[in-house]
Amino acid sequence: MKRLLPLLSLFAICCSFNAAANITFDGLFEQGALVRAKVAPDTKVWLNNEPLMLTPDGELAFGFAREAALKQELKLKLADGSEQVIPLKIKSREYKIQRVNGIAKKIMKPDPKAVARSRQDSKQVKTARGQFTDNQAFMQDFIWPLTGRISGVYGSQRVYNGKPGTPHYGVDVAAKTGTVIVAPADGTVSLAVADMFYSGGTIIVDHGYGVSSSFLHLSKLYVAPGDFIAQGQPIGEVGATGRATGPHLDWRLNWYQMRLDPVSIVPSMASVLSGASKIGQ
């Protein structure tokens, strides 16, 4: 991991802190973000009194949900038995909300068969996201699995006849059907299903310590459960399968069951596209 920030410089911007705390961070303290961190080996860490899993080298990850509380707390217990408490001030985000009224009641009423199928799909997805593995790829510098026009953003939501729909928990990148996508980081395939009801062709890659990536609406899958995937390796093709209005990749980032914004761990799309254009000159 190349972007670790000293505690002093990060917390001077984000929150009040104990300057002696023995921890460094990679990430932003804001709603929807994934944060990676490193402490001295044999340190124990709690987030809001919940213990966090650490690698043998003292690396860890945690996230802040879409509507995360703006005040949270980290506690460290060092190898010598001393403890430090670090208050975290989480930055709030504003999300794009679209209100749609006048929809007929029969359209709003879900199909029982569709509901049953989607629930079965959800069970598979939750199982894949909920597992713990000791893969340390979560500490890599992630890359975009696909570059192009961003057509949908994390946290956006539609309100139908005054009833809020499920927020969008990914970032959408528009591309033609058949465009190849690659793994944003190393990992092991924990789920690969060609025809889920809502998400169509779906892949989940486990990066370790609760961090995983989901790829939705794929037209073709190149991988199977259990496959080890290297960063940059092709894993599938863009499609419009499931409940999609057009071909695109819906890339999602998870910390266990918490759904986070993939944009929080990659360079901006504009900078990536700009860099690619300069290389081609």
Side-chain angles (χ1 to χ4, degrees):
M1 185 173 62
K2 301 177 181 178
R3 299 189 303 275
L4 280 174
L5 300 177
L7 176 73
L8 180 59
S9 63
L10 184 61
F11 273 75
I13 298 173
C14 298
C15 58
S16 60
F17 66 99
N18 181 335
N22 187 20
I23 185 168
T24 52
F25 296 94
D26 174 15
L28 298 175
F29 294 124
E30 68 176 18
Q31 292 174 332
L34 176 72
V35 176
R36 277 84 59 86
K38 184 175 177 62
V39 296
D42 299 322
T43 300
K44 295 182 179 180
V45 183
W46 291 262
L47 176 64
N48 304 320
N49 294 318
E50 292 293 329
L52 300 178
M53 297 294 293
L54 280 66
T55 71
D57 295 328
E59 297 169 328
L60 64 148
F62 55 91
F64 303 116
R66 179 180 181 270
E67 299 294 339
L70 302 185
K71 292 184 179 181
Q72 302 197 35
E73 181 180 272
L74 276 178
K75 183 173 76 172
L76 280 60
K77 185 173 182 179
L78 306 183
D80 62 8
S82 62
E83 295 185 357
Q84 296 170 332
V85 176
I86 306 172
L88 307 180
K89 292 183 179 179
I90 312 305
K91 181 181 177 181
S92 64
R93 293 177 57 177
E94 292 186 5
Y95 301 105
K96 182 179 179 181
I97 306 297
Q98 182 181 9
R99 301 184 185 280
V100 182
N101 296 313
I103 300 176
K105 290 184 178 180
K106 64 179 181 179
I107 296 177
M108 292 288 292
K109 187 176 180 180
D111 180 351
K113 291 184 179 179
V115 171
R117 184 181 171 192
S118 65
R119 285 177 178 171
Q120 183 60 38
D121 291 343
S122 294
K123 288 181 181 179
Q124 295 183 69
V125 170
K126 287 182 178 179
T127 297
R129 290 203 314 251
Q131 67 183 16
F132 171 84
T133 65
D134 59 5
N135 188 343
Q136 297 180 34
F138 73 96
M139 294 295 288
Q140 287 182 318
D141 288 335
F142 279 54
I143 63 174
W144 283 91
L146 175 70
T147 57
R149 180 177 63 87
I150 293 179
S151 57
V153 296
Y154 173 89
S156 59
Q157 185 179 35
R158 287 182 176 178
V159 180
Y160 301 97
N161 292 350
K163 183 178 180 180
T166 302
H168 184 243
Y169 286 112
V171 57
D172 293 340
V173 183
K176 295 181 179 179
T177 295
T179 304
V180 175
I181 69 167
V182 302
D186 295 351
T188 301
V189 178
S190 55
L191 181 76
V193 179
D195 61 349
M196 286 191 156
F197 182 76
Y198 283 112
S199 57
T202 303
I203 294 172
I204 297 180
V205 175
D206 172 62
H207 307 295
Y209 285 78
V211 179
S212 64
S213 289
S214 302
F215 310 91
L216 281 54
H217 307 303
L218 304 180
S219 61
K220 186 177 293 185
L221 283 59
Y222 296 169
V223 298
D227 288 352
F228 175 80
I229 306 301
Q231 185 180 62
Q233 178 179 332
I235 59 174
E237 297 178 7
V238 171
T241 57
R243 294 302 180 264
T245 57
H248 70 282
L249 170 66
D250 182 346
W251 175 31
R252 303 189 175 196
L253 178 68
N254 318 295
W255 180 53
Y256 296 109
Q257 303 302 344
M258 187 180 292
R259 297 166 178 174
L260 304 174
D261 190 351
V263 173
S264 69
I265 59 168
V266 286
S268 71
M269 181 67 81
S271 69
V272 172
L273 293 175
S274 175
S277 65
K278 289 180 181 179
I279 293 174
Q281 292 177 354

